[in-house]
Amino acid sequence: MAVKGKHALVFGASGLIGWGVVDQLLSNYPAQGTFSTVSALVNRPFSVEDSFWPKRSPVMPDLQLLSGVNLAGATIESLEKLLQTEVEGIENVTHVFYFVLKSEDQPQDEVRVNRKMLQCAVGALNNICPNVEFLVFPSGTKAYGIHIPGGVFTAPYEESMGPLPDKYQNSINYPALRTVLETASAGRQWSWCDILPDAVIGFVPNGSAFNLTAHWATYLSLYALVHGKGARVPFPGTRKAYASLYNEASAATIAKCAIWAALHPDRTTRGGQVFNIADRAEPGSMSERWPVLAEYFGLRGVAPADEDEGEGEEKVLKPGEFVEKHRHVLEAKGVRRSAVFKGDFLDGYGYYLDFDRQLSLEKVQRAGFTEEVDPNESWVRAFEMFKVAGMIVV
């Protein structure tokens, strides 16, 4: 049994960032004994045995895992009943990490559904969790308009920028979710903050909607099987995108920042703050990153190819198209593919993000979170996890 400490409640614990939050908490970040209990909530079927979280030990927090928590179909009352019945010590929860997103085809529907889910969650917590101190949720660089052709603001992006022009305001969730949290926390002892990354690098064992790491890991692993080690693999995008500046964030870095923020409400100005986060402040480009990613699989990562040049049709196939065409190769190898539910969207990553979009980390570093890591290490660490899980062949 861990030393008596704080109780973390993680919504969306099987998602890309939520998995990372649980992983860091079970790894005793920031220090042994800080948290005594981690309650992980997921929607889809999920088991501790298949989670690839740290193996249970006497010095780590106690873990509770609850599947079937469907916020989209819940009411405040039904969620209260579920949590009170299934989560031991729910009344002792001190810190909440809300990493839930439900994608919808229409932006207005996505805003409506995600607003309702968060209202349900915080409504239940206000009724049954009197000891909550802090809640963290993530937004993203759509807040800076990266989904708008050509972008809106000039990088580096700072938290003081915004809001987006009126005609784009209803195309993203974040303003609505921040309003929900402002309303729900008013007059309460708990406060909240928003952690804002760009592309997220990480591992999950059971698939996710927007996992670029899994998408490219499957592609590069298969490309090496089809074309052989040493083959040249062009970046799947344009030359302009290949050269554009950005700074990605590993799920581990986001998780550490979220935990740090939750434990330091005095430094996060007690409520409603937004903090950019990335693996490091210095931006990079895919012209630096792609060769490193390809090398892990024994390939030579090169600049984007023109559609009419090169050897064979494979050179112009997008990653998702290539994987679909050669999926029989993976099946013959017995590879358990990582489900990426928005692969068609991820195929456009190297095409529409053709402008500088790096984040300024000055605000979060001034507040006290100064940890940095080499992004190359984050990619390789995730690839290693996919290999251990039998999802790629290297």
Side-chain angles (χ1 to χ4, degrees), residues 55-189:
K55 297 296 183 183
R56 193 171 189 82
S57 79
V59 298
M60 66 189 287
D62 294 328
L63 173 65
Q64 302 182 84
L65 174 62
L66 177 60
S67 298
V69 182
N70 179 11
L71 291 177
T75 63
I76 292 176
E77 293 74 18
S78 67
L79 182 60
E80 286 178 19
K81 183 177 180 180
L82 178 66
L83 296 180
Q84 288 178 314
T85 302
E86 301 294 339
V87 178
E88 183 179 353
I90 186 67
E91 69 280 2
N92 297 320
V93 166
T94 55
H95 295 79
V96 180
F97 301 91
Y98 185 89
F99 290 88
V100 178
L101 172 67
K102 190 174 189 302
S103 299
E104 297 287 347
D105 291 336
Q106 298 300 318
Q108 297 88 339
D109 293 335
E110 187 166 306
V111 172
R112 175 182 53 78
V113 169
N114 284 280
R115 180 197 294 118
K116 175 184 176 296
M117 291 195 301
L118 182 57
Q119 286 173 329
C120 179
V122 294
L125 296 177
N126 272 345
N127 290 339
I128 64 174
C129 301
N131 296 303
V132 172
E133 300 172 15
F134 207 88
L135 181 149
V136 182
F137 92 103
S139 57
T141 43
K142 279 189 176 181
Y144 297 123
I146 69 160
H147 58 303
I148 300 167
V152 175
F153 303 111
T154 300
Y157 297 150
E158 299 179 354
E159 294 88 342
S160 59
M161 291 177 172
L164 293 178
D166 290 343
K167 65 179 179 179
Y168 297 116
Q169 273 296 312
N170 294 330
S171 66
I172 56 175
N173 296 320
Y174 319 134
L177 300 186
R178 291 166 185 161
T179 299
V180 169
L181 292 175
E182 288 170 1
T183 301
S185 63
R188 302 276 179 171
Q189 68 176 9

Side-chain angles (χ1 to χ4, degrees), residues 293-371:
L293 307 189
E295 184 180 16
Y296 178 85
F297 297 91
L299 299 167
R300 293 173 54 210
V302 298
D306 296 330
E307 291 192 359
D308 58 352
E309 77 173 46
E311 47 198 38
E313 60 178 322
E314 317 298 12
K315 211 152 188 190
V316 298
L317 287 181
K318 293 179 179 178
E321 297 168 338
F322 185 90
V323 171
E324 187 61 30
K325 179 176 180 179
H326 297 286
R327 64 188 308 167
H328 62 282
V329 177
L330 290 175
E331 292 167 356
K333 290 283 186 180
V335 174
R336 182 172 71 90
R337 287 176 58 191
S338 175
V340 178
F341 309 126
K342 292 290 184 178
D344 53 344
F345 173 83
L346 294 173
D347 274 344
Y349 179 86
Y351 293 89
Y352 81 92
L353 291 173
D354 60 357
F355 49 89
D356 292 346
R357 58 194 183 280
Q358 69 269 27
L359 299 171
S360 167
L361 300 189
E362 289 187 12
K363 181 178 178 180
V364 74
Q365 291 183 342
R366 282 199 311 269
F369 184 81
T370 57
E371 295 189 35

Side-chain angles (χ1 to χ4, degrees), residues 253-268:
T253 293
I254 300 169
K256 289 178 179 180
C257 184
I259 297 167
W260 169 85
L263 294 173
H264 296 89
D266 55 323
R267 301 188 195 176
T268 53

Side-chain angles (χ1 to χ4, degrees), residues 278-294:
D279 273 359
R280 67 181 181 191
E282 181 184 359
S285 68
M286 272 297 158
S287 63
E288 303 166 18
R289 195 79 65 241
W290 186 249
V292 176
L293 307 189

Side-chain angles (χ1 to χ4, degrees), residues 26-45:
L26 296 181
S27 299
N28 284 318
Y29 185 85
Q32 183 179 324
T34 303
F35 288 89
S36 60
T37 306
V38 177
S39 296
L41 310 181
V42 302
N43 182 14
R44 291 175 286 145

